[in-house]
Amino acid sequence: MNPILRNILGVIVGIGVCLFLNGSLLGLLLDLVGPPVGFDPNKIDTYRLLQAEHLMAPFTAHAVGSFIGGLLAALIAATHRMNLALLVGGLHMIGGIVAAFLIPAPLWFIVLDLAAAYLPMAWLGGRAALMLRR
C-alpha cells in the first residue's frame, strides 16, 4: 500500500477509535461511579455538582482514548509513526480545549486533563507501537 495512504489510514483509524473509546468509556465510567444527586448532563448548571471522583471518568476516557488512538495510528502508519500518534492526540486535545470552554469544571481538572491526558498519552501509545514493531 502507498505509504501516504497508509499514514492517512492510520490517522483516520486512530481518531475513529479514539473518539469511540472516549465516548464509550465516559458513559461506562460515569455509570459505574454514579452521578451526584441533582446532576443532569443536559443542564450545564448542574455540572458544578461533580466531585473529583466524577471527574476521573472523563480524564480516564480522554487518556485511554489518546493512548489507544496514538498506538493504532503508529502501528498502521508507514512512516512518521510518532508524529502521527501525536497528531491523533493533538486532534483529540482540540476537542478537550473546546469542552473546557463549554463545560464548567474546576481549574485544577482542566489543567490536569489538558496537560496529562492527551499528548503525553498519545506519545506513550506511539512509543508502545514503536516497541511492538521492533
Side-chain angles (χ1 to χ4, degrees):
M1 179 184 268
N2 182 322
I4 294 173
L5 291 178
R6 243 179 98 177
N7 290 349
I8 292 169
L9 178 64
V11 171
I12 291 171
V13 169
I15 283 292
V17 170
C18 174
L19 295 178
F20 173 78
L21 282 174
N22 183 62
S24 300
L25 286 173
L26 186 57
L28 175 69
L29 293 171
L30 284 175
D31 285 346
L32 286 174
V33 173
V37 176
F39 177 74
D40 181 353
N42 297 315
K43 295 182 180 175
I44 291 294
D45 61 324
T46 64
Y47 278 76
R48 62 180 168 69
L49 300 172
L50 297 175
Q51 301 296 317
E53 64 266 16
H54 305 109
L55 296 173
M56 292 319 296
F59 177 82
T60 302
H62 300 159
V64 171
S66 289
F67 178 83
I68 299 296
L71 174 76
L72 290 175
L75 284 174
I76 294 169
T79 61
H80 308 290
R81 292 182 179 99
M82 184 58 77
N83 289 340
L84 296 178
L86 290 171
L87 176 61
V88 169
L91 291 171
H92 193 202
M93 186 176 182
I94 290 171
I97 292 168
V98 170
F101 283 103
L102 297 176
I103 302 170
L107 182 60
W108 68 264
F109 173 75
I110 294 170
V111 170
L112 174 66
D113 192 49
L114 294 177
Y118 298 100
L119 293 178
M121 294 305 291
W123 181 84
L124 287 173
R127 288 287 296 155
L130 293 176
M131 291 171 60
L132 288 172
R133 288 191 65 111
R134 286 189 186 142

